[in-house]
Every structure is written in C-alpha cells, then in structure tokens.
C-alpha cells in the first residue's frame, strides 16, 4: 500500500510532515511540526479514498478522544477536515517512540520492561473502568522519556468488550517482543508476563486490574530478574508464597507468649513420652524402594507410587482395552469428566511409538507423553489405581533410580481464587519450580503421569 504522502518533508495545512511513523489500512501516523510556533506534534491522517463508513468512524474516534482526559496520554490539539484530507493533531510526547528506539537498536532493560507493562496496564485498566473502547498498544504509540512512558490516545469508537481486551493484551506482547533483548525476554519474569498476555491465565484472558496486582508480586520477588528456562505457566502460588509467610510470621509474633508456653508444654510431654512410652514405629519412615514402586507414608496411610511414569506400552494396552469396552464401562471411567471427553489417544501417538522402536528403546521403558489430565485420570481408573498426588510424585522422583525427563500431571488441585480458575499442579521436567494448568482437556507435549496405590489404611489394616 502506497503512503498518502510520497515525498517528505511536505506541508499539510499549518503543519510540516517530517516522518511516517506507522501505516494502517485506513490511516497513517506522521511526526510533524506546527509552523510559526515550532511545536512538535503527531498527526493521524485518514486516507482520502476511505469509504464513508470508515470516514464516519474516524470522526467518531476524534469525538471520543476529545471527550476524555487520561493520565499520561498526549492531549488532543485540534482536528481538521478539508475537501481532501481529514486529520487529527495530538501533541507529540517527549522522548522517542518505542518504534524509533527499536529501529536504532536501543532496547529496554529488564526494569524498564516491567515499568512499560505497568504503565500500559494502568492506562488500559482506566479505559476499562470508564467503559472506553481502546485500540491495542503499538510501538509507534508509546513514547519513552527517561523512565517515563507517555501514550498517544488509544480511545476509539465502539464498545469495550473481551475482543478489545484480547487484542490489547496481544498488542502489548508484540511490543515487548520488539523492544526487549532476547536474553531479558526469554530468561526473566517478563517471559511469564508475555505468556499470560498471549495465552491468558488458566484458559481465559487476563484482565488489566488483576495483571497490575500480579506485576507487583512478580517484580518485587527477590531474584525476579532471572529464571530457569522452564515453561512460563509456573504456579502463581509460587509468587505469593513469601507474602503469606510474612503474614504467618506476624501472627506468630503477635501471639508469641501463648505460643512459647504451648511449645514448652509440648516439649515437656514429649520428654515424658521419651522416658515412659512404648516405642512405636515412626509414621514417617524412609520410603521402601523397589524396581517398580516407592512405598511410603502419606497422610498417615501407606502408599506405593510407581517409580517411573506410565509407559507407552502400558498406555497402548489401556487404549486397546478402552476400545473393547461397552458404553457403560467407558462412562464409569469418565465419571465427573466433561461430557465431550470420549477418547484418550495422546498427541503424536503413532510418532511416539515409532520413535521409541526406531531409537532402540522399548515402549515398555519409554514414558507416554502428550496426554491430558483427563487421559491420565481415565488410565488410573482403568488400572484400579489413583493419579499420584504431588507429594507422592516428588517422593518417587527423589528416591527412585530413574532419571526424570518429562513433566507430570498430578492429582493435586488448587481451588479457584479470583481472578484465577481452579487448576492442577504439574511437576516440571527438571528443577523444583512447579507448573500449573486449568486446561485439563489440553494435551501438552512432554507431559505424562504416574499412578499410586493405597496399600494400608490409617488403622494399619492392609487394603484389599
């Protein structure tokens, strides 16, 4: 598409157009200077050949922007409509646009990136509160002067809805990918923010106000500048842990005297038990490790959790058995699941089998991957066992001999806490940073599971 003005600089009314900042389907944005007063401005020009409905919308955009005042948004100066051109003039913010900085190779630091996200979130949260439709942010519409960010007005005609918000989130993600160095974008907490902006949180789009709250926690966390190269959907609980610990310590301090006396009483009873009580076996004995299982005490019961995730061979047997089941048997496996869950073939199933055989591995010793939470739960029910909870998976990983190479679904669920949906905890392929997901029907690559079996109730009677 050819620009409206092919030769720059050129005059437009009282203004000298100096540089084309950005071009869109129906409008173009120019850096300009107002004659006589030498004032720097930004001019948005409507294409002369725009259809009448687009021209009417452009005029409505002008009216909407002129009717509101937003913090850190460049003020409207005037709008002009001639026989050929219709254009809007805004005061040019101080500093340089992010598009200009990126063009010069001047990228933002980690701290500046967080400040940018915070400033954008504040602006769009305000638009949401006022019920204003707003165009997505772009590198050409955001200016930086020192540590301050200023915006060209994003207000436009229309109704503020989820579609607007989704476009705004993705627009900010694109800006961050343009203006941040790869090492900052990929190995800092800002990677978490970009993931949220693109994919939402827990299967639904984030809203701006909750994002502001999450930003404060993410940025304030010690060592937030660098993270391991894990998936960016890490559990939000990990970020709030420190806050809750501080609250707990304050509570302990407020009630220190009763706690001290209580602790002394417990210590005295414990000492008496040491001298007079009949010796009993500890409920927290070290796990017993076999080739196939790790048996341990959990919640005052004895469990045997598999020492390795469910294999391709085992899952293949499940798929064959499932195909031979009648409708009633399949429904029992699906109890409590969404009604559209009707099959359990993992992603790239044939490719997984071929890769295991072609690589000299046995399907019996290769973990199945690409399964959903519901797939894992259905298999556990078929095997007469349970999907292993987080604590048992961690115990098996610590004491079993097999090396862990995949992510693993667990049965440990976290209840909904606004604005986030309920989700399931996932053990990462490596490291200790837990993952989470509310997308229980989604099949993720490199994600498998293991099962556990209850072998003894808390009354010490073996379970049959």
């Amino acid at each position: 598409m050819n620009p409206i003005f092919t030769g720059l600089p050129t005059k437009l009314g009282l203004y000298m157009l100096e540089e084309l900042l950005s071009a869109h389907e129906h409008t173009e944005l120019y850096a300009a200077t107002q004659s006589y007063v030498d004032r720097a401005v930004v001019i948005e020009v409507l294409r002369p050949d725009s259809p009448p409905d687009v021209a009417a919308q452009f005029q409505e955009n002008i009216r909407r922007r002129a009717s509101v005042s937003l913090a850190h948004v460049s003020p409207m100066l005037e709008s002009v409509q001639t026989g050929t051109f219709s254009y809007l003039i805004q005061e040019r913010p101080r500093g340089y646009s992010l598009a200009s900085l990126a063009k010069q190779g001047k990228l933002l630091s980690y701290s500046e990136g967080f400040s940018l996200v915070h400033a954008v979130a504040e602006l769009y949260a305000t638009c949401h509160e006022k019920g204003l439709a707003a165009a997505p942010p772009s590198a050409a519409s955001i200016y930086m002067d020192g540590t301050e960010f200023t915006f060209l007005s994003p207000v436009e005609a229309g109704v503020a809805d989820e579609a607007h918000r989704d476009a705004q989130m993705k627009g900010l993600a694109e800006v961050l990918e343009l203006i941040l160095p790869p090492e900052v974008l990929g190995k800092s907490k800002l990677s978490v923010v970009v993931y949220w902006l693109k994919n939402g949180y827990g299967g639904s789009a984030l809203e701006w106000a909750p994002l502001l709250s999450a930003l404060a926690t993410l940025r304030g966390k010690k060592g937030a500048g660098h993270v391991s190269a894990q998936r960016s959907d890490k559990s939000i609980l990990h970020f709030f842990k420190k806050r809750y610990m501080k609250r707990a310590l304050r509570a302990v301090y407020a009630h220190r005297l009763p706690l001290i006396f209580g602790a002394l009483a417990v210590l005295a009873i414990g000492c008496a038990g040491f001298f007079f009580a009949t010796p009993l076996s500890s409920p927290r004995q070290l796990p017993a490790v076999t080739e196939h299982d790790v048996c341990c005490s959990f919640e005052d019961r004895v469990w045997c959790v598999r020492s390795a995730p469910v294999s391709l061979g085992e899952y293949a047997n499940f798929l064959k058995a499932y195909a031979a089941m009648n409708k009633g048997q399949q429904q029992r496996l699906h109890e409590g699941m969404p009604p559209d869950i009707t099959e359990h073939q993992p992603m790239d199933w044939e490719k997984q089998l071929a890769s295991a055989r072609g690589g000299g591995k046995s399907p019996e010793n290769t973990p199945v991957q690409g399964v959903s939470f519901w797939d894992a739960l259905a298999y556990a029910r078929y095997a007469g066992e349970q999907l292993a909870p987080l604590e048992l998976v961690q115990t098996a990983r610590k004491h079993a001999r097999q090396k862990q190479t995949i992510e693993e679904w667990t049965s440990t669920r976290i209840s909904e806490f606004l604005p986030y949906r309920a989700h399931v905890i996932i053990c990462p392929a490596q490291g200790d940073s837990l993952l989470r997901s509310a997308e229980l029907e989604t099949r993720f690559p490199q994600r498998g599971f293991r099962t556990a079996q209850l072998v003894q109730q808390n009354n010490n009677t073996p379970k049959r």
Side-chain angles (χ1 to χ4, degrees):
M1 184 178 294
N2 295 325
I4 301 173
F5 302 96
T6 55
L8 296 177
T10 188
K11 288 200 68 174
L12 178 63
L14 298 176
Y15 301 92
M16 181 65 71
L17 304 184
E18 300 165 341
E19 180 187 0
L20 175 62
L21 299 177
S22 63
H24 306 279
E25 183 179 3
H26 298 296
T27 61
E28 291 182 353
L29 205 63
Y30 288 88
T33 303
Q34 186 176 5
S35 305
Y36 309 113
V37 296
D38 197 31
R39 176 161 54 180
V41 297
V42 172
I43 298 182
E44 185 175 0
V45 185
L46 180 69
R47 289 187 176 278
D49 57 353
S50 297
D53 60 326
V54 173
Q57 184 179 26
F58 184 75
Q59 294 301 321
E60 181 61 23
N61 289 351
I62 292 174
R63 285 190 287 272
R64 293 287 184 95
R65 293 176 187 178
S67 66
V68 296
S69 177
L70 298 168
H72 308 296
V73 171
S74 180
M76 306 293 106
L77 297 180
E78 63 174 329
S79 63
V80 179
Q81 187 165 8
T82 66
T84 307
F85 295 107
S86 180
Y87 51 97
L88 169 67
I89 301 99
Q90 297 182 66
E91 185 177 291
R92 193 191 308 175
R94 298 179 63 178
Y96 299 91
S97 73
L98 297 186
S100 174
L101 292 175
K103 199 172 184 180
Q104 300 173 47
K106 298 178 180 178
L107 304 183
L108 302 190
S109 67
Y110 169 78
S111 179
E112 290 168 339
F114 252 112
S115 296
L116 168 63
V117 177
H118 192 275
V120 173
E122 279 191 329
L123 171 61
Y124 283 90
T126 301
C127 289
H128 176 75
E129 290 170 4
K130 294 178 178 290
L132 300 172
S138 69
S141 68
I142 305 172
Y143 282 71
M144 184 179 183
D145 181 31
T147 59
E148 298 295 322
F149 292 95
T150 310
F151 305 88
L152 300 179
S153 178
V155 176
E156 63 180 9
V159 179
D161 55 20
E162 290 186 4
H164 274 86
R165 184 185 61 196
D166 186 54
Q168 293 160 6
M169 295 281 183
K170 287 180 170 56
L172 177 53
E174 291 174 2
V175 171
L176 291 173
E177 290 175 331
L178 174 69
I179 200 63
L180 290 174
E183 62 271 18
V184 171
L185 187 63
K187 295 183 179 180
S188 76
K189 293 298 183 186
L190 283 170
S191 65
V192 178
V193 175
V194 172
Y195 181 85
W196 285 346
L197 292 170
K198 283 184 170 184
N199 303 284
Y201 186 96
S204 58
L206 263 182
E207 295 186 11
W208 290 108
L211 177 59
L212 280 170
S213 299
L215 286 175
T217 304
L218 276 170
R219 193 175 187 180
K221 184 175 176 61
K222 183 178 180 181
H226 300 279
V227 292
S228 60
Q230 295 292 334
R231 289 180 58 89
S232 54
D233 59 345
K234 294 178 183 178
S235 173
I236 193 71
L237 295 181
H238 182 69
F239 306 138
F240 293 125
K241 187 185 296 181
K242 184 179 291 185
R243 179 185 299 178
Y244 295 143
M245 183 61 72
K246 288 180 178 178
R247 290 180 182 174
L249 290 175
R250 284 198 295 268
V252 169
Y253 182 78
H255 301 86
R256 56 192 180 279
L257 288 179
L259 285 171
I260 290 171
F261 285 120
L264 289 174
V266 170
L267 181 61
I269 294 171
C271 290
F274 177 79
F275 288 105
F276 302 108
T278 303
L280 295 175
S281 60
S282 169
R284 293 292 179 185
Q285 295 175 351
L286 287 176
V289 181
T290 70
E291 182 181 354
H292 302 290
D293 298 290
V294 175
C295 297
C296 59
S297 173
F298 172 60
E299 293 182 343
D300 295 327
R301 292 179 289 179
V302 178
W303 293 80
C304 282
V305 58
R306 298 173 55 103
S307 57
V310 171
S311 70
L312 286 169
E314 291 167 321
Y315 201 88
N317 291 335
F318 160 61
L319 291 180
K320 292 178 183 176
Y322 179 79
M325 291 179 185
N326 59 42
K327 190 172 182 180
Q329 291 171 320
Q330 291 181 350
Q331 285 178 341
R332 282 192 288 275
L333 290 186
H334 294 158
E335 184 177 350
M337 297 185 189
D340 58 342
I341 302 297
T342 58
E343 57 87 22
H344 297 286
Q345 182 165 306
M347 63 188 305
D348 298 327
W349 173 240
E350 298 298 334
K351 186 177 178 180
Q352 287 191 62
L353 291 172
S355 177
R357 296 184 181 115
K361 301 177 183 178
S362 166
E364 301 301 329
N365 297 322
T366 304
V368 63
Q369 301 176 50
V371 296
S372 71
F373 175 84
W374 301 123
D375 295 335
L377 185 59
Y379 175 92
R381 290 175 176 174
Y382 150 79
E385 299 180 349
Q386 298 184 35
L387 183 60
L390 171 64
E391 292 84 351
L392 292 184
V393 174
Q394 290 176 322
T395 299
R397 286 182 163 206
K398 180 178 179 181
H399 295 279
R401 301 180 182 88
Q402 288 85 350
K403 182 181 178 181
Q404 310 308 322
T405 58
I406 64 170
E407 298 174 359
E408 294 185 49
W409 289 105
T410 77
S411 63
T412 302
R413 298 194 185 212
I414 302 299
S415 301
E416 179 178 18
F417 57 103
L418 294 176
Y420 305 109
R421 293 167 52 192
H423 55 266
V424 167
I425 298 297
I426 300 107
C427 279
Q430 297 177 345
D432 299 321
S433 297
L434 301 177
L435 314 178
R436 62 96 193 102
S437 179
E439 302 169 9
L440 306 187
E441 71 287 349
T442 303
R443 295 183 172 109
F444 292 91
Q446 295 187 330
R447 187 171 295 177
F449 66 98
R450 72 181 73 206
T451 59
Q453 185 174 20
L454 177 64
V455 296
Q456 192 175 70
Q457 303 282 11
N458 55 4
N459 59 2
N460 294 324
T461 302
K463 184 180 182 296
R464 299 184 183 275

